Amino acid sequence: GAGVSQSPSNKVTEKGKDVELRCDPISGHTALYWYRQSLGQGLEFLIYFQGNSAPDKSGLPSDRFSAERTGGSVSTLTIQRTQQEDSAVYLCASSLAQGGGNYGYTFGSGTRLTVV
Amino acid sequence: DAKTTQPPSMDCAEGRAANLPCNHSTISGNEYVYWYRQIHSQGPQYIIHGLKNNETNEMASLIITEDRKSSTLILPHATLRDTAVYYCIARWVTGKLIFGQGTTLQVKP
């Protein structure tokens, strides 16, 4: 597609439920990143996929968070047993080259997750 | 990745040049300086990046000092739509982006 697509755009869930957030990167982009941004805060790196390499999971805040990328394209971020502190905007980005190269990252519009 | 320091906020008059400074005194020889901006409730947008030489594109200019310890992003004719948080990031070209707190630029009419 023309840009990075994320779904859903908004998600309200009850505390303790599991949620899945989806990211469709730009076709042909080999690198995919997940970030989250809590209200009024900066962007927090979560996880990074590059081609067939093992993902960089160093930013995942707890073992309730996991992500996968199937077929080198679509990625799903899963949060198990959601807590209120998980409420944030979850942003996905993709890039043509590892780390962005001369093109930088292209970000999606994000999924706003609210845990009630 | 090298740490960067930016002022938390700046104002600029509409139509004037906005000059956003960034200090990166511990930058290594292979680390690039990247600039992104985030307009309220949108995902960050790539602006420009450079290693040693000054760079210019359709959005902005990037001036990097000779010792590479600081840089300035220049928006030549700021408009109200340029109001955003601007992030300066120093990183390896193959590394992940780590965002700091950035500078909130307010363009005023």
Side-chain angles (χ1 to χ4, degrees):
Chain A
V4 177
S5 177
Q6 292 188 246
S7 61
S9 54
N10 282 284
K11 176 72 175 178
V12 180
T13 190
E14 293 182 351
K15 179 180 172 182
K17 299 284 190 182
D18 297 352
V19 294
E20 287 189 350
L21 312 180
R22 177 187 170 103
C23 173
D24 280 281
I26 292 174
S27 178
H29 278 196
T30 60
L32 187 148
Y33 319 81
W34 283 98
Y35 290 81
R36 76 174 175 181
Q37 188 168 32
S38 302
L39 186 64
Q41 301 298 310
L43 286 91
E44 176 187 5
F45 166 76
L46 297 178
I47 188 169
Y48 163 38
F49 296 89
Q50 172 58 48
N52 296 320
S53 302
D56 176 352
K57 304 180 181 179
S58 59
L60 294 179
S62 77
D63 58 7
R64 296 186 295 105
F65 288 72
S66 64
E68 63 177 21
R69 188 178 185 192
T70 54
S73 180
V74 172
S75 178
T76 302
L77 177 69
T78 301
I79 309 172
Q80 295 178 311
R81 305 181 302 281
T82 53
Q83 304 295 313
Q84 287 185 328
E85 61 262 30
D86 300 333
S87 296
V89 176
Y90 288 81
L91 290 156
C92 175
S94 70
S95 65
L96 185 62
Q98 183 176 355
N102 289 322
Y103 303 94
Y105 295 14
T106 301
F107 279 82
S109 299
T111 293
R112 181 175 299 277
L113 176 66
T114 304
V115 182
V116 298
Chain B
D1 292 334
K3 178 181 171 61
T4 61
T5 305
Q6 299 177 253
S9 64
M10 291 182 63
D11 290 343
C12 177
E14 187 179 19
R16 304 296 294 269
N19 297 286
L20 292 91
C22 180
N23 287 321
H24 30 79
S25 59
T26 61
I27 196 169
S28 69
N30 294 327
E31 287 182 305
Y32 284 68
V33 179
Y34 281 77
W35 283 84
Y36 280 74
R37 73 178 182 184
Q38 187 174 26
I39 296 171
H40 182 60
S41 74
Q42 297 181 20
Q45 176 189 26
Y46 165 81
I47 301 173
I48 199 167
H49 76 283
L51 183 63
K52 292 189 288 188
N53 299 323
N54 297 337
E55 302 288 345
T56 295
N57 63 21
E58 65 278 5
M59 290 183 67
S61 294
L62 174 61
I63 308 298
I64 303 174
T65 59
E66 192 169 344
D67 63 7
R68 301 209 327 120
K69 293 185 177 183
S70 66
S71 60
T72 301
L73 179 74
I74 301 172
L75 307 178
H77 305 287
T79 71
L80 298 179
R81 289 190 300 272
D82 292 322
T83 292
V85 179
Y86 287 78
Y87 297 97
C88 169
I89 303 165
R91 60 186 269 272
W92 300 93
V93 72
T94 56
K96 55 186 180 282
L97 283 177
I98 303 297
F99 290 83
Q101 295 304 306
T103 295
T104 299
L105 175 68
Q106 181 73 48
V107 180
K108 299 185 174 182

